[in-house]
Amino acid sequence: MNFTRIILYLMLLLPYMQSKAQVGSDIASNYWNFDQEVPSNWQGAGLQHSTKHFKIGTASIAWHWKQGEHIQIENPQGIQQAFKLEKPVSNSLYKERADKKATKMQKNGGLMCWIYNEKAIDDSLTITFGEGTQPAYQFHYYLDFTGWRACWIRFSEMTTLKQVKSLDYMTIQAPELTPKGTLYFDRMLFGNKPIHGRSTPDKQLPYINPKVNMNHWGGQWYWETHYQHDIALEPTITEKEKLALFQIELKTMDLIQGPVPHQDENWYYKDHFKDLCIHRAADGTITGRPIVSADEYNAKYNDLKPLQLSSIFYGLARGYALTNDDYCKEMFFDLFDHFVDQGYDYGSATGTQHHVGYQLEGLPESFLLMKEALRASGRLDKAAEILHYWYGNAECRRDISVNEIQGVSDFWNTKARGRLIAVLLMDDSPEKVREMKALTRFIDNSLQYSSGSVGGITPDGCLYHHAGLYPAYMTGSFMGIAPVVYSLSNTPFAIGKQALHNLSQSMLLMRNFSNKYEWGIAISGRQVFAGMICQRAIDGMGYVAKSSTPIDTLLASAYMRLANPWEKMYYEFQEKGIQPETKMDGFQVVNYACLGLHRRDDWLVTVKGYNRYVWSGEIYAHDNRWGRYMSYGSIQINNQGDPIDNKHSGYDQNGWDWNRFPGTTTIHLPLDKLYCPVRTLMSRSDETFCGTSSLGKNGIFGMKLHEKETLKNFTPDHRARKSVFLFDDCLIALGSDIQNSNKEYPTETTLFQLESKEENSITLDGQSYTDTFEIAPNPKKAHILYDNKGNTHFIAKGQDLVVYRKTQTSKHNKSERETHGTFSVAYLKHGKAPRHGSYEYATIVNGAKSGHTPDYTVLQKNRKAHIVEDHHTGITGLVLFEAGSVKNRWIKSINHEALVMIQEKSNKLNLSVCSPSVNFGSDRAYDNKPSVPVDITLVVAGQWKPASTTKGVKVLSQTKGRTTLQFHCVDGKTIKTELVK
């Protein structure tokens, strides 16, 4: 499984490995050039130009220092411009975002350099900056390390000795307590940009950028020095524990090693190892291409990122572990030593550690494969130490809840296995047992339900990341955590039943919002038109199913529907009598995402909105730039293809009109005005009412749409009341109170926008169209419209319908390149600056084949409520936008906005009630305030009582032929009850 993934990485990284840039030609324009000589403005005893060690180019400045000596650097290049860089103080970690309310300014420029130490000492450098003869800024840099270490520090992070208007010198003072030594300086500059916002504290500079200490990517040194084990250290390790640890290692090894590589594969990695230019001198000194973090990486300097080494580490490790190729072993050791020498060691941060889990992917697996070889060479303790530190095992020392864990998804995806392998590399001991207990407790805690939007599994199964449901991160998370859970299973270190249940629930949601493997555009975050369950995430479902005792048959059955029948786990489940799931009919309420999933046979309808707590979409500078409208009440039908997917169902980015997501009510803007004016946007509304509810296998959706953003080219008074009623294969869409003040561009509601081939026809009122056309049929009449994907649409009279088929020109959401595609489109016109716009239409999914027609009555459609009675199912759906009296046979009044469904059967009432808002205690993103319960009081005509005790339902009174019920609603969940006389 992992083997296939590493091969894919190698293919992606090959261009980087084969296109080494020329060294040294343009270094002087950025970093100070040390390739030729010691710069003339450097003065001090013991300075020497050296090629022994280098971090850029081919040389560095060596300083053979003695106690009491110093280096004087006059007018260092760039110091003035770096000193003048300022910004408002901000608590934000990302992209140097400024706090608009801040009045205090901080000096955000500073020094960037790398320092090489041949011998660790318990001492420090003192580095000072000043003007004239006056020292102004100073800091200490600790020297208890060997190899390269980064030194990135802002002036604002130094000790201020004197306020000055400019700086014109720099001194580096030798250690005070040590007689002599040698240091090397390279990759040095005062930049014309601020020091990176994610610069990370480490052993050398533990006091910089303290906001990173609480960040899941950069907290390693803080955890290491501040967190203490709260699990007692036992005096001995038991035989049972030894056996369990052996079993965990055996299962982990089985998952990572892959098939025995062919000799050609070994040569492949050996050849790419040569591209690293690693050289070991006679005195043991090792050099090679510089390895730096992704935040510092620049290909023109011949740099390498750690991720570019992962496939080589892994390939060489497999070459030796599985074929005993000694050349692979020696190359692995050279790469290992160079990696450590370049600063990827205990206590180092390499400037930044952001996204470190992604950057080091594959490294732990390589170390485990080479465990015995590392032991024999004396490197095993170092390998274990590196993984413990870089993967942040120290974070597990405290018993913290899921709400205190930042980046749950990132932990599962990129760190969980690394932390497990860090423990497995240890020798059996009480310390190893304690580390394993701490890790498994942390994993178990991370799998509990989380509160608010901080991240983790929500009570309805969403995996929150970036403060919302994010399927693209779910797949990666499941790929990472599931094999770890499996490795731990059936041992004393296994995670608990509730944690397994929650993980299984979230995996089942993933399979439910996908059809067969792809999910709808509206829930794709910034990865529009690209979301699907990958094979490793499917494998993860199998691993979690196997981790339960007895086997989780529901999850195993779901795995089998998605997996290939020749897979090993498929066969294992089949042997136990488990069969692939077939029918998935039903409606799933997912209100932590303002989402409804309606399924029959093999098709899926995805209904999506947003509110105060759930964002509409994720827009980045180079991703999903036109995705503003993706959750404005979208209705996506996936019903075509083998397997069914987005493209065959009509959703294709080429030529896509970003104004016309199906089901949405939008202002149709030119692309340049739809383009997001800020770097990152995850819009939320100020309205709380949006979401879904269900009764039986049917559901409803309601939304108070409000585009509240006041950014350029937004219309902050754009509003609508929207609803969808989903009864079997019939979707009834209503809109009312559509209003905004945009007099320049028209408002419209899109029925569909479907990629259209020549052979796919559109039929309107019995007339078929295959060529390019545009028609606006008589608005005084009702119309029947067959789209090119087999669905039938029934448009009520009194509406301005436009239907066309033509080639559209658009732009790609990432590259912004021009795209073209032919689409069939239907939309309803509401005009410019509408005041009381409305709409009504019904869709029969696969109606062209079934011949079904809708049979419903709209009982109310106004600002207060949308109420529809479906005559096929006998269900009445009530989207109650406002509290107060209700014009309905059964429901007479309600005290709060809500979604209600009711069905009369044999003198019984089946009733469901939902307050769809998750109603967090805070609407701040990344807060952990839980859902605040809402008590909904409902007055029902007649004398009724619940047929059985239903949690959250209480009869308050029965008077004058009416029953008053209270529903205790929380987490956006639907409460269902059966009422009897």
Side-chain angles (χ1 to χ4, degrees), residues 334-353:
D334 283 348
L335 179 54
F336 178 89
D337 292 348
H338 180 54
F339 189 70
V340 175
D341 192 66
Q342 286 286 299
Y344 286 85
D345 199 353
Y346 174 82
S348 171
T350 63
T352 77
Q353 291 178 315

Side-chain angles (χ1 to χ4, degrees), residues 92-216:
S92 177
L93 177 63
Y94 298 98
K95 305 299 183 188
E96 295 294 315
R97 297 173 191 154
D99 184 345
K100 294 180 180 178
K101 297 180 180 179
T103 56
K104 184 180 178 181
M105 302 295 287
Q106 68 179 19
K107 292 201 171 291
N108 221 31
L111 173 69
M112 289 179 64
C113 73
W114 283 77
I115 301 173
Y116 191 97
N117 195 7
E118 292 186 333
K119 183 180 180 180
I121 57 174
D122 186 15
D123 214 333
S124 63
L125 293 174
T126 301
I127 302 178
T128 306
F129 308 88
E131 179 185 31
T133 60
Q134 296 295 321
Y137 294 90
Q138 188 177 88
F139 71 95
H140 298 286
Y141 187 82
Y142 301 106
L143 296 173
D144 48 350
F145 67 91
T146 59
W148 285 106
R149 293 293 186 273
C151 177
W152 295 10
I153 184 167
R154 302 171 179 86
F155 289 111
S156 61
E157 294 164 337
M158 304 175 193
T159 299
T160 302
L161 305 176
K162 182 179 177 61
Q163 295 291 341
V164 294
K165 295 183 178 180
S166 64
L167 297 174
D168 57 22
Y169 76 85
M170 168 183 177
T171 64
I172 304 174
Q173 182 71 41
E176 295 180 351
L177 305 176
T178 309
K180 62 180 180 179
T182 300
L183 296 170
Y184 299 80
F185 300 91
D186 204 3
R187 210 174 180 102
M188 200 167 189
L189 83 162
F190 290 100
N192 59 4
K193 295 180 180 179
I195 296 292
H196 202 291
R198 300 191 287 252
S199 58
T200 304
D202 61 8
K203 194 175 184 180
Q204 280 61 63
L205 295 170
Y207 47 83
I208 66 166
N209 212 9
K211 62 190 175 186
V212 176
N213 290 331
M214 295 294 105
N215 180 261
H216 62 294

